[in-house]
Amino acid sequence: MNGNVEVVVVGGGYGGVTAANRLARRDGVSVTLVNPRPDFVERIRLHQLVAGSDDAVVGFDEVLGGNVRLVVDTVTRIDAAERRVSPAGGGPLPYDYLVYAVGSGACDPGVPGAAEFAHALSDLEGAQRLRSALAATPASEPVTVVGAGPTGLETAAELAELGRKVTLVCGDVLGPSLHARGRRPVARRLAELGVTVLEGPRARVTEVTRDGVRLEDGRELPSAVTIWTAGFRVPDLAARSGLRTDAEGRLVTDATLTSVDDVRIVAAGDAAVMTDRPFRMSCQAAVQLGPAAADTILRRIAGKTPAPVRMFFAGQCLSLGRDEGVTQFSYPNDKVNALSIGGRPGAGVKEIACRFTLNKLVSGARKASSRASRGTGADRPESPEPELRTTPSGSRRPA
């Protein structure tokens, strides 16, 4: 392909940012990233935002290359035939290639009262609303966390460590993604923190009310604040745009992350699925899929055949409060094994993983910005310089 190549990245999460930075390092490629927020959200720290130990927000000027144009807006439609996207608040943006990285959010649980009375913890706004609700609720009042996946486990432990009276409703089994041996230190830690754990096939929420939840077995639990962490959904942008999706709404791609409908659309992150090799929605997957999506585009620009994506997983890291955690190891195919690390070392591994991920984004931004210093790329929207402060975790980030 001759001349400048325009790439639009839709979504500024882990997958979108890593893809944008990789693309922006190549001469002759101009990158525009469209994201509904002006800052990057460390989604893996949202439970800390709720508890007040981290703000979970980093300025895009830290994690995005200086030659990436940032558009703060929401894409409402992709016009594949015309190769352009339509932001809600501005004119259409044309592209030669599109990176579809819109991520995932809270699902509709389909349980009466859940949408009205339960708080979700899948995005920044939901976490901020939950934090405000907890701040307005006396610490002695009961809190119910629904869902015993990583988000539910971390949230329950974080709040219990603050002295909250927490009940964790598993719906079936504690930590379903963990190995049976890995569940044991999790259960011990939750017991030490005073979390009431409800397991079993009938420990499922059938209704959420303003001041409680009802379970399938007939029990009614008082709950001043109910937090729903069970399940995720993806935005319906691909489906609304006429692109092929699976039953969950994820964009269907081949093994090179290319849409099965259009070779100009490449996906990264939670909102897509490879038909022959589905992967778990996770930050760990997104930081691999972002660069892989970029490489697929760069190979096509160079007239080469893209290579199939190779995914490698190391395990799952859980923080169970600020002092302890569990790291569950896995085989490279993401199947968990019997090895795990608990206690303070487990918490240390989780914190290292969080900082490593952020540092990886910062490093990618610096590499992309090295091209910007030669005078290429577009300017960012004007905004005041962020005031930096030190968070409880010791990192420096915008206030």
Side-chain angles (χ1 to χ4, degrees), residues 5 23 49-50 53 57 65 86 99 117 123 144 167 228 236 273 291 294 325 333 345:
V5 177
L23 289 161
L49 184 155
V50 169
S53 62
V57 173
S86 299
V99 177
F117 299 116
D123 58 31
T144 301
T167 297
W228 199 282
D236 63 352
V273 60
N333 65 357

Side-chain angles (χ1 to χ4, degrees), residues 11-23 25 40-44 63 99-101 103 257 267-271 274 279-295 309-315 317 352-365 367:
Y14 295 98
V17 168
T18 52
N21 285 336
R22 178 70 67 94
L23 289 161
R25 292 163 57 182
F40 175 79
V41 177
E42 283 192 274
R43 188 168 172 179
I44 54 179
V63 300
V99 177
Y100 187 79
L257 302 179
D270 292 352
M274 291 186 283
F279 46 83
R280 174 169 53 92
M281 291 183 179
S282 64
C283 166
Q284 189 172 177
V287 295
Q288 299 180 70
L289 293 167
D295 287 344
V309 174
R310 300 180 66 187
M311 301 285 288
F312 295 94
F313 291 86
C317 301
I352 289 171
C354 289
R355 295 190 183 197
F356 174 81
T357 301
L358 181 59
N359 288 340
K360 186 180 180 73
L361 301 186
V362 173
S363 174
K367 291 176 181 178

Side-chain angles (χ1 to χ4, degrees), residues 23-395:
L23 289 161
R25 292 163 57 182
R26 182 66 60 90
D27 288 331
V29 177
S30 296
V31 183
T32 298
L33 185 142
V34 186
N35 190 67
R37 303 177 189 87
D39 297 299
F40 175 79
V41 177
E42 283 192 274
R43 188 168 172 179
I44 54 179
R45 290 195 187 273
L46 285 178
H47 62 287
Q48 290 183 250
L49 184 155
V50 169
S53 62
D54 200 284
D55 57 20
V57 173
V58 181
F60 271 121
D61 58 336
E62 291 189 51
V63 300
L64 202 59
N67 53 341
V68 177
R69 178 190 177 201
L70 174 63
V71 175
V72 181
D73 209 332
T74 299
V75 172
T76 59
R77 184 172 176 81
I78 300 167
D79 187 338
E82 297 294 329
R83 293 186 200 161
R84 64 187 182 188
V85 300
S86 299
L93 297 173
Y95 66 82
D96 295 305
Y97 288 94
L98 174 75
V99 177
Y100 187 79
V102 295
S104 61
C107 71
D108 179 1
V111 173
E116 183 178 1
F117 299 116
H119 291 268
L121 188 57
S122 59
D123 58 31
L124 178 64
E125 292 77 15
Q128 291 172 334
R129 287 192 294 268
L130 173 56
R131 181 173 179 178
S132 296
L134 287 165
T137 304
S140 59
E141 292 293 310
V143 174
T144 301
V145 178
V146 182
T151 303
L153 294 173
E154 292 187 320
T155 303
E158 203 83 28
L159 295 179
E161 192 174 67
L162 293 176
R164 293 280 180 177
K165 182 182 177 182
V166 180
T167 297
L168 177 65
V169 181
C170 299
D172 193 359
V173 64
L174 179 72
S177 65
L178 304 177
H179 190 277
R181 291 187 180 180
R183 293 179 192 137
R184 296 171 190 168
V186 174
R188 285 197 298 267
R189 176 58 175 165
L190 293 177
E192 291 171 358
L193 292 170
V195 177
T196 299
V197 177
L198 302 182
E199 295 182 84
R202 299 194 67 193
R204 300 177 184 275
V205 175
T206 58
E207 184 180 2
V208 180
T209 63
R210 187 180 301 277
D211 54 6
V213 299
R214 294 190 178 96
L215 304 185
E216 186 177 318
D217 60 12
R219 281 179 289 180
E220 296 189 11
L221 309 177
S223 181
V225 179
T226 300
I227 306 167
W228 199 282
T229 70
F232 295 101
R233 65 165 177 79
V234 300
D236 63 352
L237 176 61
R240 283 190 288 107
S241 301
L243 299 170
R244 201 175 318 178
T245 60
D246 70 355
E248 298 179 13
R250 294 177 294 182
L251 179 71
V252 177
T253 76
D254 63 15
T256 70
L257 302 179
T258 303
S259 165
V260 295
D261 296 318
D262 193 324
V263 296
R264 299 288 182 140
I265 299 176
V266 181
D270 292 352
V273 60
M274 291 186 283
T275 52
D276 58 340
R277 288 181 295 163
F279 46 83
R280 174 169 53 92
M281 291 183 179
S282 64
C283 166
Q284 189 172 177
V287 295
Q288 299 180 70
L289 293 167
D295 287 344
T296 289
I297 291 173
L298 292 173
R299 289 185 69 86
R300 283 212 167 92
I301 292 172
K304 299 178 181 179
T305 301
V309 174
R310 300 180 66 187
M311 301 285 288
F312 295 94
F313 291 86
Q316 302 172 39
C317 301
L318 303 174
S319 62
L320 299 174
R322 293 297 83 214
D323 298 324
E324 294 196 23
V326 170
T327 297
Q328 165 73 73
F329 293 101
S330 71
Y331 300 105
N333 65 357
D334 203 28
K335 182 179 179 180
V336 296
N337 57 43
L339 299 177
S340 64
I341 298 175
R344 287 185 177 274
V349 172
K350 171 61 187 281
E351 183 60 26
I352 289 171
C354 289
R355 295 190 183 197
F356 174 81
T357 301
L358 181 59
N359 288 340
K360 186 180 180 73
L361 301 186
V362 173
S363 174
R366 289 172 179 166
K367 291 176 181 178
S369 295
S370 67
R371 201 193 97 191
S373 66
R374 301 199 299 268
T376 62
D379 293 335
R380 294 178 178 277
E382 292 185 5
S383 60
E385 287 297 318
E387 177 188 354
L388 294 179
R389 64 180 175 85
T390 303
T391 67
S393 63
S395 60

